[in-house]
Amino acid sequence: MSFQGPTTKEILLDAVTQTVGEHALDTIQPSEDVSPPSDSIDPADNFVPPCSTQRPVPIALRNGPADIMVGLDNECPRWAPGSVIPWTAWRQGFKTDEDANFATDHLKMAAEKWNSFNIGVTFEWVPLAKDATFVLCHGGSNGSTLAEAFFPNANDLSYLLVYNAAFSLRGWKENMWKIFTHELGHVLGLRHEFAMDTNPKTGEVFETKKAVQLGPRNESSVMVYGRKPPEIQQSDVDSTKEFYALVDDAEGNPPRVGLTDVRDYTPM
């Protein structure tokens, strides 16, 4: 008779509970029926939000993506095709229960939007963090940054952070689900559309982590932040499906995008 002890994730979460309190990891169940608002408000003019997901990657996440650009330096990480990517949300940290419920419902809308395209993996809400690959959390204040996600990786638990600006900037709160479609693009392994572009003022590439292109460029891609909230384009869907449809060759070598190997990660 075999005995399976607690996982590393369970041990860490238990330690957090013991230190911070029993309600520290209380999760939020999304509303049963949620759908994107039909009359979302256009954001204030002349504001282009930054995205922190692609700042220098922490050591723990260096095996993490390109949009269609895909890829981080020496690999193109993705979740193993056919995977279910479980997520949940922590209530603690949000200013109000209303904010916590609002953000959770909007993440559910974004996840269902990606799921509707049958791209090769699916997102699924779970009630406990020990069963989740990532958790939606409030990240506090981070200037004008709206949210921050992560790329596919082997970590026990990753985080999708939503910041104060996403709640306070006119027109962006109402479109939070669209912000999350962009961030979930990163979770799927997609880079910014401009990842390999050069800054005309400095002559340097905008993002230091190398990327490779898969599929056609589209300046309206969900992976572009502009003055209006991002929206998933058909080119995003087609290229993401292509990315997740890549298979090993006849010799068992991993698929490649250009000369870069694709690396599959199993959701924890």
Side-chain angles (χ1 to χ4, degrees), residues 75-90:
E75 68 177 29
C76 292
R78 68 178 182 182
W79 302 107
S83 295
V84 174
I85 307 165
W87 66 275
T88 195
W90 279 335

Side-chain angles (χ1 to χ4, degrees), residues 36-57:
S38 57
D39 55 350
S40 56
I41 301 171
D42 284 340
D45 293 337
N46 300 320
F47 170 70
V48 178
C51 179
S52 292
T53 301
Q54 293 192 208
R55 63 189 178 184
V57 182

